[in-house]
Amino acid sequence: PQVTLDSTEYFEDGVADSFTGAETGAWTVAGGRYTGTPIGSVGAVDLLDLGVGFLSTSYVEPEATLSTTGIGGIAFDAYAANDYKFVALDVPNQRVLVGHVDPRHAWVVDSGFSQVLNAGTDYVLNLAQQGTVVTVSLNGNVVGSVAFNAGVSDGKVGVVAKSGTTSFDR
C-alpha cells in the first residue's frame, strides 16, 4: 500500500508528544519508556492524535515495542477511551488477545491465540488493519487474523494497559 504517513514516537526526551487524545488510567514517561497502569477496574488507554484521520478504506499498520506484567497492547479503531478495539498480550494466560471495548459491554475478547509470553520481556507487536480484518504479528511472526463486522481503520490508534503495568519503548 502507498504510505502517506509514517511516524514513530520515542520517549527518550521524557515526553509522549503524540499522545494527546482521550486518556484513562495513569500514564508516565521515565527512562525512555511510556508506562500505563490501570486505576481500579478501569483499564488505562491513551490515544494518539496524529493530526490526520484515517478512512475506512485506509491501510493502517501500528507497531509497538512493549512489555507487560499483565495484559497490555495496542488500541485501534478507537472513537473514545471507552470505545475501541484492541490487540493485547495476556501474560498470565499466555495468549495474544483481539477484542473490543464499548460502553455497553466493557472489555470483550473476540479471539485469542496461544503464545509463550514472559513478564518484563520486550515484544514487538504489529497489526495490519485493512478493510474489516486485522492481522496480528508478534516479533515478526504472524499470530493470526480476525475479521470484524465493520471497517477497522477509520478510528484512532493508541496504547492500552488492562491489568498490571505495561511499558512501551516505541
Side-chain angles (χ1 to χ4, degrees), residues 49-117:
D49 186 355
L50 299 173
V52 297
F54 301 115
L55 302 174
S56 61
T57 57
S58 295
Y59 174 83
V60 180
E61 188 176 351
E63 180 174 280
T65 301
L66 67 119
S67 70
T68 185
T69 61
I71 300 173
I74 299 173
F76 66 98
D77 197 29
Y79 302 100
N82 65 349
D83 187 7
Y84 59 91
K85 294 176 181 68
F86 62 85
V87 172
L89 305 181
D90 178 356
V91 171
N93 295 304
Q94 301 290 291
R95 302 181 302 165
V96 176
L97 306 176
V98 180
H100 66 278
V101 172
D102 70 53
R104 295 169 300 172
H105 302 106
W107 182 272
V108 177
V109 174
D110 295 314
S111 189
F113 304 99
S114 293
Q115 196 71 44
V116 176
L117 301 168

Side-chain angles (χ1 to χ4, degrees), residues 64 110 117 123 136 148 162:
D110 295 314
L117 301 168
Y123 294 95
V136 181
F148 288 90
K162 171 66 173 156

Side-chain angles (χ1 to χ4, degrees), residues 11-32:
F11 308 107
E12 283 80 10
D13 63 355
V15 180
D17 299 305
S18 298
F19 288 90
T20 58
E23 178 182 306
T24 62
W27 291 93
T28 59
V29 179

